[in-house]
Amino acid sequence: MAATKISRRFAALYRAEAGLTIPEWRGLTHLDHSGPASVCDITARVHLDKGIVSRAATRLEQGGIVSISDHETDRRAVVLYLTDKSRALMQRLRRIADASQAQLLQDLQDDASLLQQALKRIIKEPSA
């Protein structure tokens, strides 16, 4: 529930700043961190349905935020790339995310450190 609430908080900020949906900003964030990726790679990483990610990729391509090309070895797949436009956008979104995270940690006060430690342990655990 907490992850959903925080995700919605980011979604509202990103929608206001750039008109992005949750699948769009999650995909962009993955590309920003990992570099070019297929829709399948993004789907696995951001835990969204392939159709949702594909539709988000199409909208982002239409807006000039990503470019799409054929996969080198898999004729059924495409690879998404950030564009110059999206790199500038991601810089703005990172600033927004950093400010939002700082505000969240400030709101948590003394509990922030404990929460960060617990989340780090959860993330390090092997997936089930």
Side-chain angles (χ1 to χ4, degrees):
M1 287 175 50
T4 298
K5 193 168 189 173
I6 291 169
S7 181
R8 287 182 180 155
R9 178 189 237 182
F10 279 112
L13 293 170
Y14 292 164
R15 186 173 38 256
E17 176 68 22
L20 296 174
T21 65
I22 290 173
E24 291 168 348
W25 70 258
R26 283 187 184 174
L28 284 174
T29 299
H30 176 69
L31 293 172
D32 189 46
H33 286 280
S34 302
S38 70
V39 170
C40 289
D41 292 338
I42 295 169
T43 297
R45 178 71 174 138
V46 301
H47 307 291
L48 291 171
D49 178 75
K50 184 179 176 187
I52 291 171
V53 174
S54 291
R55 287 188 293 279
T58 298
R59 287 190 302 273
L60 292 169
E61 182 186 36
Q62 290 169 346
I65 298 173
V66 299
S67 62
I68 298 176
S69 67
D70 293 332
H71 193 279
E72 288 180 8
T73 58
D74 185 347
R75 292 180 20 193
R76 299 166 295 163
V78 295
V79 178
L80 281 63
Y81 298 85
L82 293 178
T83 62
D84 290 339
K85 183 177 181 178
S86 62
R87 286 183 185 88
L89 172 63
M90 291 310 296
Q91 287 178 350
R92 290 193 342 252
L93 295 181
R94 273 192 297 280
R95 285 193 297 272
I96 291 168
D98 290 346
S100 180
Q101 182 174 344
Q103 181 62 52
L104 177 62
L105 293 174
Q106 183 179 358
D107 292 347
L108 293 172
Q109 298 175 4
D110 296 336
D111 296 328
S113 177
L114 293 172
L115 177 61
Q116 287 177 312
Q117 290 173 20
L119 291 173
K120 285 177 184 177
R121 280 198 311 261
I122 291 169
I123 290 169
K124 286 182 182 180
E125 286 183 15
S127 297

